[in-house]
Amino acid sequence: MEIIRIGEDFGRWDELLALILSSFAYMDGVIDPPSSAHRLTPASLAQKARDEIAFAAIEGGRLVGCIFLKPEPGSLYLGKLAIAPAHQDKGIGRRLLAAAEDVARENGLPALRLETRIELAGNHATFARWGFTKTAENSHPGFTRVTSIEMRKWIT
């Protein structure tokens, strides 16, 4: 398996969208509001990759994972971390996270930051095992209850 930077010549946007939607499908009917992944298109993913820093995990020529990174003041935001369902629990997420840590160091950012939905306790536990700690609770616009938590990992 290799981790590659998604650049202008990537051209596999339909496959990337399918990967994200399949890996986020378990959230359907569980989280409210629904995942923003449903609003993605191949064109919006291409734009997202231009605006942010994106990596893909490829195994046997197939896309099996991805992550999008966005530098912000004091941290590197991790978004759309997706692992193909058949390839989960094989270390791909950790490899993508290592790429994110490298980008944070290269940009002089001391921490990684992410948001995960309040209902996804399994994700909270996984991120905690990866060194993230809960730093905030947030609500999506129009909601009076907590809908997501923010987690941060300090880079040493």
Side-chain angles (χ1 to χ4, degrees):
M1 196 230 357
E2 65 176 326
I3 305 294
I4 63 160
R5 174 90 184 255
I6 296 175
E8 288 291 325
D9 61 341
F10 181 67
R12 297 171 70 174
W13 305 111
D14 288 320
E15 188 180 351
L16 185 61
L17 178 58
L19 164 73
I20 292 170
L21 292 176
S22 69
S23 63
F24 282 41
Y26 76 97
M27 299 178 197
D28 293 342
V30 174
I31 63 172
D32 186 31
S35 173
S36 62
H38 293 292
R39 294 191 303 271
L40 293 172
T41 65
S44 69
L45 275 175
Q47 184 62 52
K48 187 172 180 63
R50 283 190 293 276
D51 295 343
E52 300 178 16
I53 301 164
F55 290 91
I58 300 178
E59 187 172 79
R62 296 189 64 225
L63 285 176
V64 295
C66 69
I67 192 169
F68 284 79
L69 310 168
K70 185 175 182 180
E72 55 186 27
S75 63
L76 181 67
Y77 182 77
L78 280 60
K80 297 301 180 262
L81 172 60
I83 311 299
H87 290 83
Q88 293 178 1
D89 299 320
K90 296 182 179 180
I92 296 169
R94 285 186 185 274
R95 296 268 312 270
L96 290 166
L97 183 64
E101 290 176 2
D102 289 344
V103 169
R105 285 185 197 96
E106 290 165 8
N107 285 277
L109 297 170
L112 302 178
R113 187 179 76 83
L114 59 82
E115 293 181 13
T116 182
R117 296 304 186 88
I118 193 72
E119 299 93 343
L120 304 178
N123 285 4
H124 307 172
T126 296
F127 293 131
R129 281 193 308 276
W130 291 351
F132 286 82
T133 56
K134 179 179 168 182
T135 55
E137 294 182 340
N138 302 308
S139 300
H140 283 78
F143 285 78
T144 56
R145 65 173 176 80
V146 173
T147 56
S148 67
I149 66 168
E150 182 177 297
M151 300 182 83
R152 198 172 288 263
K153 177 181 182 179
W154 296 99
I155 306 298
T156 55

